[in-house]
Every structure is written in structure tokens, then in C-alpha cells.
Amino acid sequence: LAPRRGWVFPGLDQRLSAAPALVSVVPPVRPYAEAAKSAKRGSQKTKQEETKKKQVIRRRPLMSKPVDDVYLTWYYERPSYDVEEAVGMLKKFQELDFTHPQQYVYINVFLDMALQKKKKVDPFASTVLLPHRFTDETNKVLVFTENEQEAEIARENGAAVVGGVELIKWILEDEIQVDSYVAVPAIMPKLIPLRNKLRRKYPSTKRNSLGHDIPKMLQLFREGLEYMVQDECVIKTRIARV
């Protein structure tokens, strides 16, 4: 810390010169170093061989029906019921749990989305008209048409909004918001600016939202049940009330 260390700490030079003699410079003995290196080289091969040699653990077959009223669920097969029996059980549980009798019944449908040539069906959304309605709710439907007769038919059958090209600006600015969009084929070339905005709600023949039968399309999208494929293969939707 000073030009001459001897001025600050007398004899410091001698101590520093003698200090290395006190430190042992003997390298540590590592007799297993070479063995460890060779083991690391062959560790990948040994791991692969061990995984091949591992025996597959075979689980014993599941039992069909438990004998006792307390049992381990993973030892037994999951019970399956017919639709009528399952609905009867739901009604019984509703009485035991004191739940509201008008609560919804939900269904999970697992689809096989695989095709023959190692391809999969893309997830999709659609609307179905159930034979027995279980709710009084109706969806708001917009009808695109420039024909006055078709517009009058759409209003008589419960369309929320009816119009032509003048509606495009209001839809792009989010001033008009409805549940579904229906159109006649004659006006489709003028609706191209709405393709990115509406996306899957854009009128198309695949979704049955494009055609000449306006009353039929309005009934489907006003009273129909919309479902969507989730998680690549599952449909989760409500189908009834208890």
C-alpha cells in the first residue's frame, strides 16, 4: 500500500519472502481421476444399455366389480352405464344433493380425429338444432341481403339485424355485435373486407350460414346449439336439463 512497505510494517518484506516456504505445494492425490474420465466416456452407452435391459412392469388385470364398499379405485375398471340409466342416476343424485332440478346436463364427447394417411382432422366448430329445446334463450343473428323481399322475410323470422354493404363499417368499428352472421350468395363478393374480422363466423356453406333458405338458416342459428372441438379431440357442451 506504500512505496516502501518497510516504512509501514517493519520486516514485512522478510515475512512475505518467507511465506511461500511455509505453503505446501504438494498436489492432491487423485487416484480415481482417470477412472472417472473413462467412466464418463462410456456413461452414455451404459445408460442406453440399462434402459434396454429394464423389464416392463406388467400390471395385473383390473377386477370388474368391487366386493367391499371401500376399495381402491385403480384396481377396478371404471363402470359405464347406458344413457337411460345414467340419466336416472343424475336425477337421483339431484334429489340427494338438493340441487336445482333445472340445472344443465353436460356431455363430453371424445372424437377420433385420425385419418388413414397419418393426418388429423383440424378442430372445428359447428351448430346443431336439437330435437328438444331445453332453454328459452335465443341468439342474435344478422342477415346480409340487398333484396327487399328477402330482408322482409328475415325480419318476419326473427333476425336481429338485416342489411347490406352499409353494415360493414359498423361491424368493423364494433358498433354491431351479434352471435351469428347469415348471408345470401349474391352479396358474398362485397363482404370480403369482413373475412378477417368475423373469422369462423364468416358466412360459409360448410357452416350452413350461406344459402337462399333464410327461414331455415335463422332457425338453426337462433335456436341451435353451437359446439366446438377443444384440446384437439374433445367436445364439451350442455345438452339438456335434469
Side-chain angles (χ1 to χ4, degrees):
L1 300 176
R4 290 188 182 181
R5 288 172 289 181
W7 293 356
V8 183
F9 299 106
L12 183 60
D13 295 336
Q14 297 177 359
R15 294 178 188 177
L16 292 174
S17 61
L22 300 175
V23 180
S24 61
V25 198
V26 181
V29 181
R30 300 177 64 189
Y32 301 104
E34 296 297 330
K37 289 181 180 179
S38 61
K40 286 181 180 179
R41 292 172 185 172
S43 60
Q44 296 180 354
K45 294 182 180 180
T46 55
K47 287 181 180 179
Q48 292 177 359
E49 292 176 357
E50 288 178 0
T51 52
K52 290 180 181 179
K53 291 180 181 179
K54 281 184 180 179
Q55 295 181 356
V56 180
I57 300 174
R58 296 182 179 179
R59 296 182 179 180
R60 62 180 183 177
L62 298 175
M63 293 177 281
S64 59
K65 191 175 181 181
V67 180
D68 301 325
D69 54 355
V70 178
Y71 57 92
L72 299 176
T73 56
W74 55 83
Y75 282 163
Y76 299 90
E77 297 178 356
R78 294 184 63 181
S80 59
Y81 306 96
D82 296 333
V83 177
E84 294 182 3
E85 188 177 0
V87 171
M89 293 174 65
L90 283 176
K91 292 181 179 180
K92 182 179 179 181
F93 296 156
Q94 177 263 328
E95 295 175 359
L96 296 175
D97 296 340
F98 298 100
T99 55
H100 199 275
Q102 295 298 321
Q103 68 178 356
Y104 291 110
V105 177
Y106 291 84
I107 187 173
N108 293 353
V109 183
F110 294 86
L111 304 178
D112 183 8
M113 306 287 280
L115 296 177
Q116 295 180 355
K117 297 182 179 180
K118 296 183 180 180
K119 294 182 180 180
K120 291 185 177 181
V121 180
D122 295 331
F124 58 90
S126 184
T127 305
V128 60
L129 190 63
L130 298 178
H132 304 285
R133 296 194 65 215
F134 55 89
T135 177
D136 296 331
E137 300 173 359
T138 56
N139 301 320
K140 294 181 180 180
V141 183
L142 184 148
V143 179
F144 287 108
T145 180
E146 293 180 335
N147 188 331
E148 189 58 35
Q149 294 181 355
E150 294 177 343
E152 188 64 27
I153 293 173
R155 296 188 190 96
E156 292 176 357
N157 285 271
V161 183
V162 182
V165 185
E166 69 277 2
L167 301 178
I168 296 178
K169 181 181 178 182
W170 296 346
I171 295 172
L172 292 175
E173 295 177 356
D174 294 329
E175 295 185 7
I176 295 178
Q177 294 182 354
V178 295
D179 299 311
S180 302
Y181 298 85
V182 168
V184 294
I187 199 174
M188 284 305 295
K190 301 178 182 179
L191 301 181
I192 295 177
L194 294 176
R195 184 184 295 273
N196 294 331
K197 178 70 175 179
L198 302 182
R199 295 185 180 180
R200 65 181 183 87
K201 291 185 178 181
Y202 189 75
S204 65
T205 53
K206 291 182 179 180
R207 299 189 70 247
N208 297 320
S209 57
L210 177 62
H212 295 282
D213 195 346
I214 295 177
K216 184 178 180 181
M217 292 189 295
L218 281 172
Q219 184 184 11
L220 174 62
F221 288 98
R222 287 184 74 249
E223 304 176 2
L225 176 68
E226 185 179 9
Y227 62 90
M228 183 186 304
V229 178
Q230 304 174 6
D231 301 329
E232 296 185 354
C233 65
V234 187
I235 295 176
K236 302 177 182 179
T237 184
R238 57 187 185 183
I239 57 169
R241 293 182 185 269
V242 177

